[in-house]
Amino acid sequence: FFLQLIVNEACDVKSLKVFITHNFIQMFLELFDAEEPREREYLKNILHRLYAKLVPRRKMIRKAITDSFYTLIHENFKFNGAAELLDILASIISGFAVPLREEHVYFFKTVIIPSHKVQTCHLYHEQLLRCSMLFLSKDPQLAIHLVDGLLRYWPFANSAKEVMFLSELLEVLEVCDITKLEPLIPKLFKRLVKCIAGPHLQVADRAMCFFENDYFLSILKTYKNFTFPLLVPVIAKIADTHWHKILQESLNALKTILKEIDYNAYERALNSKDSKCLYLVQDQKELKKERIKLDEKWKALTRLAQQKNPNFKEPIIPYCDTHIAVSYTHLRAHETPEHLVCRLLLEKKKHITQ
């Protein structure tokens, strides 16, 4: 009935906008969290028609949608209607005038980019990618910010999400201006090397697809002084030892491509002993032996310090084998009500102490 009311030409904007207040829009957006997809689809149609008809309320609707995404990114980490809201945003973004206004650029930087870090991002990644590419079609300079955001929010221990990020990263790089990519080159190629040298086949295979792209190869050639020392030692090592035959063939083909780009640079990088990524392909047994030796040295130093000063306390090290590394977002997403109360009390106590 509500949809028919909005579509009805007899219902004019002046009489309708009296009832479409900020509170109404907020409560309406909360309905998007429903589990039933058909319900969300119907709500999407209603909101889309409202946005099209109520021009004076457009800014208010955009703000309410932005607030919903802030809640998703920073508090709840799950919102069933994110895909539907991004569908609406895609049609809104396509109508933005060029050059983009400051508020639209701010929305891109504070909502579109951080939405990638949400654990449930895979549920709406297709729509998020569409919104991202629409923004880049309006302003290609935003591509640098998106590449930086993807590298900053790279998924941890989630291979399916890594594959999605790699696909998006390749699309975004094709829009980037090569001359402005220099600050991100070390971070970008370290990430690609980690993906190629990693244990997951699909992630490694998707990372290898980058080298089939002509534009990416032009980036590789432009910054070969940075890229070769990172790539060559690792590629040369795993090309001979990789367990998967097809990927091994791709790695050998990549070796040939790198030699053709600059043979002298390839040889220099291959013979270099200070490669920052070579540890990724070193024998784990050897790394473990080195780690044990270093631990023994630290224990000996701790004993000496305790002999000289009985009050000496062993420092808390940031990482050891018994620690489990998880993101703060992950911890907050699985926080129970009891843990929430404890955290808030501790934060309050800390604030009072300060």
Side-chain angles (χ1 to χ4, degrees), residues 210-255:
F210 277 67
F211 300 95
E212 297 171 9
N213 184 285
D214 292 334
Y215 191 75
F216 181 78
L217 286 176
S218 66
I219 296 171
L220 177 65
K221 291 173 189 174
T222 306
Y223 298 105
K224 61 185 177 184
N225 293 332
F226 296 104
T227 58
F228 271 53
L230 291 170
L231 271 175
V232 172
V234 177
I235 299 300
K237 180 84 174 175
I238 58 176
D240 301 325
T241 58
H242 202 278
W243 59 274
H244 197 271
K245 188 178 179 182
I246 296 172
L247 198 61
Q248 195 174 21
E249 289 172 2
S250 300
L251 288 162
N252 281 311
L254 178 55
K255 274 173 67 177

Side-chain angles (χ1 to χ4, degrees), residues 57-92:
R57 293 284 185 263
R58 284 184 178 181
K59 190 172 183 179
M60 187 180 72
I61 293 171
R62 287 201 304 271
K63 187 181 183 307
I65 293 173
T66 302
D67 291 340
S68 296
F69 275 99
Y70 284 155
T71 306
L72 170 67
I73 294 163
H74 303 292
E75 293 179 26
N76 293 346
F77 312 110
K78 187 186 177 187
F79 182 66
N80 292 319
E84 285 76 17
L85 288 181
L86 285 167
D87 270 334
I88 294 169
L89 284 172
S91 58
I92 293 171

Side-chain angles (χ1 to χ4, degrees), residues 173-198:
L173 282 172
E174 290 180 352
V175 186
C176 289
D177 182 356
I178 293 181
T179 57
K180 294 181 179 178
L181 264 175
E182 187 173 346
L184 298 175
I185 290 296
K187 206 192 297 187
L188 170 64
F189 278 84
K190 276 181 189 175
R191 177 52 59 193
L192 286 176
V193 169
K194 283 182 180 179
C195 290
I196 293 167

Side-chain angles (χ1 to χ4, degrees), residues 63-159:
K63 187 181 183 307
I65 293 173
T66 302
D67 291 340
S68 296
F69 275 99
Y70 284 155
T71 306
L72 170 67
I73 294 163
H74 303 292
E75 293 179 26
N76 293 346
F77 312 110
K78 187 186 177 187
F79 182 66
N80 292 319
E84 285 76 17
L85 288 181
L86 285 167
D87 270 334
I88 294 169
L89 284 172
S91 58
I92 293 171
I93 294 162
S94 60
F96 285 167
V98 177
L100 291 173
R101 291 196 308 210
E102 188 61 37
E103 65 170 291
H104 299 150
V105 175
Y106 183 77
F107 175 82
F108 177 78
K109 291 179 181 179
T110 59
V111 173
I112 297 295
I113 294 176
S115 292
H116 289 82
K117 74 176 181 178
V118 181
Q119 276 194 317
T120 53
C121 171
H122 62 279
L123 298 174
Y124 57 82
H125 186 264
E126 185 183 339
Q127 293 83 1
L128 183 62
L129 175 59
R130 188 180 166 210
C131 288
S132 301
M133 298 313 292
L134 280 168
F135 263 110
L136 300 189
S137 67
K138 301 283 181 182
D139 186 357
Q141 292 182 359
L142 294 174
I144 299 294
H145 298 287
L146 184 53
V147 171
D148 187 32
L150 286 169
L151 294 171
R152 190 186 315 127
Y153 300 130
W154 200 267
F156 176 80
N158 189 339
S159 53

Side-chain angles (χ1 to χ4, degrees), residues 249-349:
E249 289 172 2
S250 300
L251 288 162
N252 281 311
L254 178 55
K255 274 173 67 177
T256 307
I257 291 168
L258 293 171
K259 285 177 184 177
E260 287 173 358
I261 290 171
D262 190 332
Y263 184 79
N264 293 328
Y266 179 90
E267 287 297 320
R268 280 197 304 273
L270 188 62
N271 297 323
S272 174
K273 293 182 179 179
D274 18 321
S275 173
K276 293 178 182 178
C277 294
L278 200 56
Y279 72 94
L280 294 167
V281 290
Q282 284 182 341
D283 186 12
Q284 292 300 314
K285 290 180 180 178
E286 291 296 321
L287 286 172
K288 195 171 182 180
K289 285 178 184 177
E290 288 179 20
R291 183 72 259 170
I292 290 168
K293 285 179 184 177
L294 288 170
D295 287 342
E296 288 299 326
K297 284 183 180 178
W298 277 113
K299 284 177 184 177
L301 286 168
T302 303
R303 284 195 294 270
L304 282 171
Q306 285 171 341
Q307 286 172 6
K308 291 187 177 181
N309 181 8
N311 297 324
F312 175 80
K313 290 182 180 179
E314 191 175 346
I316 299 169
I317 57 173
Y319 174 79
C320 68
D321 292 339
T322 56
H323 290 169
I324 299 171
V326 293
S327 67
Y328 180 68
T329 306
H330 175 86
L331 290 172
R332 289 288 302 275
H334 294 83
E335 193 171 50
T336 62
E338 292 80 9
H339 291 153
L340 174 63
V341 171
C342 291
R343 180 170 62 79
L344 292 173
L345 286 170
L346 286 168
E347 286 178 2
K348 186 178 178 182
K349 184 180 177 183

